[in-house]
Amino acid sequence: MPEQTTVLDALKAMLGAERVSIGSSDRELHSRDQSAHAAYLPDVVVWPESSDQVSRVAAYANEHRIPLTGWGMGSSLEGNPIPVCGGIVIDFGRMNRIVQIYTEDFQVRVQPGMLYKDMNQVLAKYGLFFAPDPGANASIGGMVANNAAGTRTVKYGATRDNVLALEVVLASGEILRTGSRSVKQSAGYDLTHLFIGSEGTLGLITEATLRLVPVPEHVSAAIASFPSTEAAAQAVFEIMGASLGPAALELVDTAAVVAINRAEHLDLVEAPHLFLEFHGASDTSLTDVLHMAQVICNETGCQTFKSGLGREARNHLWNARHRLAEILIRSHPSLAYVITDVAVPISKYPALVSGAQQALQDLSPMDTYIMGHAGDGNMHTMLFFADTPEQHALVEHFTDQLVEHAIRLGGTCTGEHGIGIGKRKYMQHEHGLAAVQMMQHIKGLLDPKGILNPGKILP
Ligand SMILES: Cc1cc2nc3c(=O)[nH]c(=O)nc-3n(C[C@H](O)[C@H](O)[C@H](O)COP(=O)(O)OP(=O)(O)OC[C@H]3O[C@@H](n4cnc5c(N)ncnc54)[C@H](O)[C@@H]3O)c2cc1C
């Protein structure tokens, strides 16, 4: 690797001095995400303003074998953007423009540093929105790279299902365009989806063409409480099995309800809950669907069912749900934490939840929570514990068992947060040796010197 001053001079010549920093606060800010994984300082942080600048930085890093890690908002939960080998962090915050809105086709072309909530505010003027909605105000580049999902995925799909085309800068600096604006695409290998979920290990996303959906005219939400988390999980399966098509179906256990009540001044019964939302063509169709949802909930032992929430109450509820992870982290300031992210086929969801519930009892009196985007089979547990080797070992045993259980049920170790650092050890178990070796071949082909976000995904 060249001397640091040589690297800095080269980067400043490419980007301008004000787009390159070795300041300690900038390096600190780009050393950790929102997970509990250890921080690593990058050597230098850069803020390119165009694909061409990204390309030049990549070509230089590749020539000199300097690690190069993409950065959106740093809101990942698996250490995905932590520059574990130092090198250059490439922050896309200044590439944050909407390039073009295609209102007639319900599409938008956008730079990677655009934040999805900000983008949706602009799109609202056109009656459109981008549906994937992780809890944090993530960047489009980070969402594409992690294949992020959220509360609305059960109806509208994850990020993967809403990307039509990409512009990607490869490790070599070559600029590649994948996909097209056609919603049907059958032309050759699907390179777009190869880069989605690759966590910046195969290329740097410099533009994305996204599918949008019309803002629904008729929306209705309901809150149902249950005698047990297992009963709530059973209701999830029954609702999905009845094809009611919820736009959101979230599970929140009693401990999480207590925390959300306190932090967000909600007045929920202290019991496991489902939060439901439906989007429909008319109020009448919504009334029918809500009635059917209530009947199903009642059959699975539902204790209270409150529907007909107005817009303000709905916004309050969903903001609180989006902030839940943050609320829990803030309410345990001195403890270490882990968030699990398994997902299973919907028919196995009750078994997943009841298995987790039982296993969590072994961790008592640790503070633990269950929540999740239940309608798509995703369940999170959050565990807060003293930062000691014994407690870490207990938690690791729990997460290993949980992942094993999810995979046995036909599921995955991660529904949305990605592999990052923490889940690399599950890759071979989940995919098998041949598939992991194929991924290594692909990585070797696209990034032969291994400069792009090294130390992630592959075991
Ligand atoms: C409170 C909270 C709630 C959350 N809820 C959810 C949720 O419901 N669902 C969910 O899926 N996630 C959730 N997350 C996790 C996180 O928000 C998502 O993973 C999100 O996609 C990360 O986006 P980011 O912009 O912060 O990306 P970063 O964390 O900065 O980066 C993510 C990954 O993408 C890479 N990267 C960034 N930009 C690019 C680029 N342009 N090209 C190539 N690679 C790039 C990075 O190297 C890294 O590997 C939550 C996080 C928090 C803190």
Side-chain angles (χ1 to χ4, degrees):
M1 207 188 321
E3 291 283 313
Q4 197 193 34
T5 47
T6 316
V7 174
L8 284 180
D9 287 346
L11 291 171
K12 285 177 185 172
M14 284 174 226
L15 308 175
E18 68 287 6
R19 304 277 168 263
V20 179
S21 174
I22 51 166
S24 54
S25 61
D26 284 327
R27 290 169 63 220
E28 285 271 346
L29 274 173
H30 295 85
S31 68
R32 66 179 79 234
D33 61 1
Q34 294 293 314
S35 72
H37 289 292
Y40 286 85
L41 289 173
D43 295 303
V44 52
V45 184
V46 300
W47 291 265
E49 291 189 323
S50 67
S51 307
D52 189 47
Q53 289 186 342
V54 176
S55 156
R56 277 187 273 157
V57 172
Y60 181 81
N62 197 44
E63 184 186 346
H64 299 288
R65 292 182 181 268
I66 304 171
L68 181 60
T69 302
W71 192 277
M73 279 294 279
S75 71
S76 289
L77 295 171
E78 276 302 338
N80 323 48
I82 297 177
V84 293
C85 298
I88 303 169
V89 158
I90 187 159
D91 183 323
F92 287 94
R94 288 184 190 272
M95 291 177 66
N96 61 353
R97 272 188 320 111
I98 291 181
V99 181
Q100 193 160 354
I101 303 173
Y102 305 92
T103 46
E104 289 156 349
D105 295 318
F106 298 177
Q107 294 172 6
V108 65
R109 248 171 74 210
V110 68
Q111 290 188 313
M114 183 89 216
L115 306 184
Y116 89 89
K117 288 186 187 174
D118 298 355
M119 182 176 76
N120 276 343
Q121 271 184 9
V122 177
L123 294 172
K125 291 181 210 141
Y126 303 89
L128 298 169
F129 76 112
F130 180 59
D133 59 337
N137 191 6
S139 70
I140 295 299
M143 288 176 67
V144 173
N146 279 357
N147 186 25
T151 56
R152 306 246 146 66
T153 295
V154 62
K155 183 173 180 74
Y156 299 106
T159 300
R160 188 186 297 280
D161 307 303
N162 292 281
V163 178
L164 294 166
L166 291 175
E167 181 188 84
V168 182
V169 170
L170 299 180
S172 63
E174 187 182 342
I175 300 178
L176 192 75
R177 285 199 165 270
T178 72
S180 78
R181 289 208 304 113
S182 169
V183 292
K184 287 186 83 183
Q185 302 183 23
S186 192
Y189 301 141
D190 188 347
L191 295 181
T192 303
H193 287 88
L194 179 63
F195 290 102
I196 299 171
S198 69
E199 301 181 25
T201 62
L202 299 181
L204 296 164
I205 294 143
T206 45
E207 196 180 285
T209 303
L210 309 173
R211 288 180 85 154
L212 306 174
V213 283
V215 175
E217 278 185 38
H218 302 274
V219 178
S220 188
I223 302 173
S225 73
F226 291 82
S228 67
T229 315
E230 286 89 342
Q234 187 61 34
V236 168
F237 169 54
E238 306 288 349
I239 289 167
M240 294 309 292
S243 286
L244 297 190
L249 179 48
E250 296 286 310
L251 172 78
V252 185
D253 79 351
T254 306
V257 165
V258 171
I260 221 172
N261 271 344
R262 198 180 314 125
E264 293 288 320
H265 310 293
L266 284 170
D267 196 17
L268 303 172
V269 185
E270 291 191 357
H273 271 72
L274 295 183
F275 301 161
L276 305 94
E277 184 169 291
F278 293 93
H279 299 169
S282 67
D283 282 336
T284 321
S285 66
L286 283 181
T287 309
D288 290 348
V289 165
L290 271 174
H291 175 70
M292 284 158 75
Q294 181 165 12
V295 168
I296 291 173
C297 287
N298 287 343
E299 280 167 3
T300 43
C302 166
Q303 290 171 323
T304 60
F305 190 93
K306 190 174 164 194
S307 60
L309 307 185
R311 181 194 290 261
E312 207 175 309
R314 283 199 312 267
N315 287 346
H316 190 180
L317 181 72
W318 292 119
N319 281 338
R321 170 62 192 94
H322 275 139
R323 292 196 55 239
L324 181 52
E326 193 187 321
I327 290 167
L328 295 177
I329 293 167
R330 287 218 178 128
S331 60
H332 299 83
S334 53
L335 296 179
Y337 64 88
V338 158
I339 307 176
T340 64
D341 175 38
V342 291
V344 293
I346 201 66
S347 63
K348 307 295 180 196
Y349 200 67
L352 176 72
V353 171
S354 85
Q357 184 87 344
Q358 276 165 26
L360 285 176
Q361 281 168 12
D362 296 342
L363 297 180
S364 175
M366 196 180 283
D367 276 354
T368 63
Y369 304 83
I370 292 182
M371 69 209 74
H373 311 306
D376 48 33
N378 201 182
M379 182 197 71
H380 303 308
T381 60
M382 280 190 84
L383 319 175
F384 293 88
F385 51 97
D387 202 355
T388 63
E390 296 76 29
Q391 292 285 292
H392 274 279
L394 263 180
V395 167
E396 192 169 345
H397 179 69
F398 167 80
T399 52
D400 288 350
Q401 299 292 104
L402 183 65
V403 167
E404 170 65 33
H405 186 46
I407 292 175
R408 224 179 311 120
L409 293 173
T412 173
C413 66
T414 174
E416 55 182 23
H417 298 163
I419 295 294
I421 299 168
K423 301 203 181 94
R424 287 185 307 156
K425 63 177 176 177
Y426 305 128
M427 283 290 281
Q428 191 166 321
H429 183 43
E430 178 164 335
H431 296 290
L433 181 60
V436 170
Q437 283 174 340
M438 184 54 69
M439 292 186 205
Q440 280 161 337
H441 287 319
I442 292 169
K443 170 76 175 167
L445 188 70
L446 291 173
D447 179 19
K449 295 184 186 172
I451 62 158
L452 290 178
N453 202 5
K456 309 297 163 57
I457 299 191
L458 294 168

